Amino acid sequence: MEQDFQNILERLKERAESCQPEMIQWRRDFHVHPELGWCEFRTASIVADHLRKTGWQVWTGPMVTPKTIRMGVPSEMELEEAWKKALDSGGIEEEMEPMKGGYTGVVGVLENGKGPVAA
């Protein structure tokens, strides 16, 4: 049992190390393109797209961030400006579409046969 656990830990460590360069690249990219709260269209669309491409079930938009729980949402004009800026700087329009109006939450669920994993 202990050996199985050690093997799992070693595989996780190897996987984390193999992802590290890409994660550093994403972090740097996201910091080059900062976005205000409820205006994270570019960042959220890139995250949602990556999760989808790697087999996750992805939910975005009002089903993830209901209107009733949001506070401090920018004006419609500010949201529209942020949308355009995100699109012009590499946001993924088909992923951004459900996020219009500042619904920028992203939830990913991965079914692994042992129960879902949510991120």
Side-chain angles (χ1 to χ4, degrees), residues 10-113:
E10 186 59 35
R11 287 195 325 236
L12 283 172
K13 181 180 175 189
E14 289 170 8
R15 179 69 179 127
E17 288 172 353
S18 74
C19 293
Q20 188 175 14
E22 185 175 35
M23 298 296 282
I24 290 170
Q25 181 183 8
W26 286 340
R27 181 183 56 80
R28 288 178 178 162
D29 175 66
F30 294 151
H31 282 91
V32 169
H33 302 280
E35 296 169 294
L36 298 175
W38 307 116
C39 295
E40 307 96 331
F41 301 112
R42 182 183 184 278
T43 300
S45 71
I46 291 169
V47 169
D49 183 65
H50 179 76
L51 290 173
R52 253 184 246 291
K53 287 178 177 174
T54 55
W56 293 67
Q57 182 178 10
V58 178
W59 294 306
T60 61
M63 68 185 315
V64 174
T65 48
K67 188 174 191 171
T68 57
I69 67 164
R70 300 179 318 147
M71 295 172 28
V73 179
S75 70
E76 288 298 318
M77 186 175 80
E78 291 170 307
L79 289 169
E80 185 61 32
E81 287 175 13
W83 170 274
K84 290 176 185 173
K85 182 179 177 184
L87 204 50
D88 290 344
S89 64
I92 302 166
E93 187 169 11
E94 54 272 11
E95 293 291 355
M96 289 171 45
E97 192 63 38
M99 300 175 193
K100 278 191 173 175
Y103 295 95
T104 54
V106 177
V107 172
V109 176
L110 181 63
E111 292 289 342
N112 62 8

